[in-house]
Amino acid sequence: MSSLTPSGGGNPASVLPAVSPVRPRSAVSAGVGIVGLLGLFSYLILARYAPEIAGFLGIDWGDRGRMDGPNSAIASVLACGLPMVLWSVFVDKVHRNPSTGIDWSLRRPWRETVDISLTKLAGLWATWALIALTYATMRYYWEGNYAFSMDLLERVAPWLLGISVVYMLWLDRRLVEPRDGCWQFGHWLIAGHKTGGGQPVDSRAIWHHLRAWTVKGFFTAFMLSIVPGNFSSLVAVPMSEVLANPFTVGLWTINLLYLVDVHIATVGYILTMKPLDSHIRTANPYGMAWVAALICYPPFILMNGGPLDYQVGGADWGYWLQGHETLTAIWGVVLVALISIYAWATMAFGIRFSNLTHRGVITHGPYSFTRHPAYISKNLSWWVGSMPFLVTTGGWIEAARNVILLGLVSGVYYWRAKTEEKHLFADPAYQAYWNWAQHHALVPRLFAKLSGRTQPLIRLEPDPRVGPVA
């Protein structure tokens, strides 16, 4: 059974031998995120100054203005993702990693793998059909920002169907074991609960496949829905408005950092494939992890407008610090620093960012200082930016309520961190990183010094009955 393990007795980390001071190798190199950032910023400059660049090059731009439309926003995702793919393949050579499950020396005859590929296509297309049915049934997906996501997915769906045939036929000839969860699901659909030789299908692999695609289907639609607005707000606003005062400078910079987070995360959800070693190893099997994550995103979100809305009667830092430019500038610098760490944490994943999944252990960048830099910096930025202890209406009672509710929100993210660790602990590579961080990373060492505990108060052990499914 899984358990809440207190510090000390029973915690495997507390009885391990001395941990090596050498940080475990990261599954992603720092260069991946850096080239993605350069590609994104290059396109952002192009889109923002398109009329001026066209004039300089002698191109007739007509009456077209900045490239701030939704199609340009999607092009910016490509500009971010393509350099990361090229770096991963040609510099890091991730396609050669054993964890891809690919043996490039294999060239099985087509006749040996075509049945496997067709079975996997049946499983894949059935999975896509289930996702499409969910989109079609839920009216939420056809309103507001999500309408753009649905329109885009409708346009690319025929291309994905065609590409999937070529991809599957090509890849299965080279996979060491092509009968994965997708194959198991396809075979179950075609032949029922028995596989060849009368053996039952691997239901655990099927559930892993379905969980992985649930994550991809849910979060890809969400990310695509927020890309255009986030991109347009940075391209369209005149710099004279941006530079008007310290608050607008800080706000624009924060939006720029969120642009980095949104774009790299979107690329991550799209590029889940074995040749890039960015496939989903396991999707979190614990229900409490899904609850903790989904209540932070629409349509299930409990924060903005929900029971955990900590901004009722409140205002942001620009309102409370208005007229105090020096203090506003200092406050803005603090917020920018926190959101920079948050964006840096996403950038560290390169093409592997994803909620509720394991796609390789990240140990570099901000993860060399703490195991959860994104959650820590994001929550601190909310406390600093919203200032929940100050309200415009409702007096001290409303202020106290907002403080308590934001405290609960931070508690949700603490629980998300713990449930993610519970999932990742099934991988020895994460255990090695966890123990290294506990002994050598800055934030865990600081908490250990302040609390007097060498181990966290709570550690969720993985359930051995669940186990990983690669």
Side-chain angles (χ1 to χ4, degrees):
M1 292 290 289
S2 61
S3 62
L4 293 175
T5 305
S7 171
N11 191 332
S14 64
V15 297
L16 285 175
V19 178
S20 169
V22 179
R23 175 166 46 89
R25 184 175 181 271
S26 185
V28 179
S29 74
V32 182
I34 292 173
V35 296
L37 185 70
L38 293 175
L40 172 59
F41 282 0
S42 296
Y43 187 86
L44 182 65
I45 293 171
L46 172 64
R48 184 174 180 83
Y49 298 104
E52 292 84 351
I53 294 173
F56 177 78
L57 298 175
I59 299 173
D60 183 10
W61 195 249
D63 58 355
R64 290 173 291 176
R66 297 186 175 100
M67 298 162 57
D68 58 355
N71 291 330
S72 181
I74 295 303
S76 69
V77 174
L78 297 176
C80 177
L82 182 59
M84 291 198 287
V85 171
L86 294 177
W87 183 278
S88 298
V89 173
F90 293 106
V91 179
D92 293 339
K93 302 185 187 304
V94 295
H95 58 295
R96 300 292 182 184
N97 293 345
S99 51
T100 62
I102 301 173
D103 183 349
W104 295 102
S105 66
L106 282 177
R107 295 291 191 278
R108 295 188 184 96
W110 294 103
R111 62 180 177 274
E112 290 186 11
T113 58
V114 65
D115 287 347
I116 295 175
S117 297
L118 293 176
T119 301
K120 291 175 72 172
L121 284 169
L124 180 64
W125 289 357
T127 304
W128 287 357
L130 290 172
I131 294 174
L133 179 62
T134 303
Y135 289 157
T137 304
M138 300 295 131
R139 294 187 181 92
Y140 177 82
Y141 281 109
W142 300 91
E143 302 171 349
N145 293 337
Y146 273 103
F148 171 77
S149 295
M150 296 300 103
D151 178 66
L152 178 63
L153 292 174
E154 277 187 320
R155 282 184 284 160
V156 302
W159 294 94
L160 291 177
L161 289 171
I163 292 171
S164 66
V165 175
V166 177
Y167 176 78
M168 205 72 79
L169 291 171
W170 169 78
L171 183 62
D172 286 340
R173 297 177 66 200
R174 296 160 175 83
L175 285 175
V176 175
E177 178 46 75
R179 292 178 175 85
D180 55 12
C182 186
W183 182 87
Q184 295 282 350
F185 183 49
H187 199 96
W188 177 79
L189 291 171
I190 295 170
H193 69 286
K194 297 290 185 180
T195 65
Q199 296 299 317
V201 297
D202 188 345
S203 60
R204 200 167 66 166
I206 292 175
W207 282 114
H208 158 69
H209 166 79
L210 294 176
R211 285 196 303 270
W213 274 99
T214 299
V215 170
K216 190 174 174 70
F218 179 85
F219 284 103
T220 300
F222 170 70
M223 299 308 299
L224 291 174
S225 73
I226 62 177
V227 164
N230 181 247
F231 179 78
S232 178
S233 66
L234 287 164
V235 174
V237 61
M239 287 307 296
S240 58
E241 294 183 14
V242 173
L243 302 175
N245 55 67
F247 174 69
T248 54
V249 171
L251 196 62
W252 191 88
T253 306
I254 290 171
N255 287 336
L256 178 65
L257 293 168
Y258 277 124
L259 180 83
V260 174
D261 166 66
V262 167
H263 277 63
I264 292 182
T266 303
V267 170
Y269 283 111
I270 294 172
L271 294 179
T272 52
M273 52 184 62
K274 289 185 176 181
L276 294 176
D277 199 27
S278 59
H279 58 291
I280 296 174
R281 275 74 165 162
T282 56
N284 200 310
Y286 302 110
M288 59 183 176
W290 286 74
V291 172
L294 293 180
I295 63 175
C296 300
Y297 298 92
F300 310 107
I301 189 167
L302 297 185
M303 289 75 175
N304 299 339
L308 295 183
D309 190 346
Y310 56 86
Q311 295 177 300
V312 175
D316 62 24
W317 58 289
Y319 175 88
W320 296 112
L321 302 178
Q322 188 174 10
H324 305 276
E325 291 206 351
T326 301
L327 187 56
T328 299
I330 295 173
W331 216 266
V333 168
V334 173
L335 274 170
V336 167
L338 290 171
I339 303 301
S340 295
I341 296 171
Y342 175 66
W344 186 20
T346 302
M347 196 174 80
F349 277 87
I351 59 175
R352 301 195 192 196
F353 182 87
S354 175
N355 283 295
L356 292 169
T357 62
H358 174 21
R359 298 171 67 185
V361 179
I362 309 301
T363 68
H364 72 279
Y367 291 89
S368 63
F369 300 103
T370 175
R371 290 185 294 268
H372 302 285
Y375 291 165
I376 292 175
S377 58
K378 179 191 284 189
N379 278 271
L380 287 176
S381 74
W382 288 338
W383 284 95
V384 173
S386 66
M387 302 171 72
F389 40 83
L390 298 176
V391 292
T392 58
T393 59
W396 71 268
I397 295 178
E398 195 63 67
R401 184 181 290 123
N402 285 345
V403 169
I404 293 171
L405 289 175
L406 184 51
L408 291 175
V409 170
S410 296
V412 167
Y413 277 84
Y414 174 81
W415 194 243
R416 283 184 68 177
K418 289 300 179 182
T419 56
E420 288 174 8
E421 289 183 351
K422 179 180 175 70
H423 171 212
L424 295 174
F425 266 135
D427 186 346
Y430 186 78
Q431 294 177 23
Y433 164 66
W434 191 96
N435 284 291
W436 173 86
Q438 192 62 32
H439 289 82
H440 300 288
L442 175 64
V443 174
R445 289 179 63 189
L446 177 61
F447 273 92
K449 186 174 182 179
L450 294 175
S451 66
R453 295 179 180 273
T454 58
Q455 301 296 332
L457 180 63
I458 294 175
R459 169 170 156 168
L460 299 179
E461 299 291 347
D463 190 332
R465 297 172 302 176
V466 177
V469 179

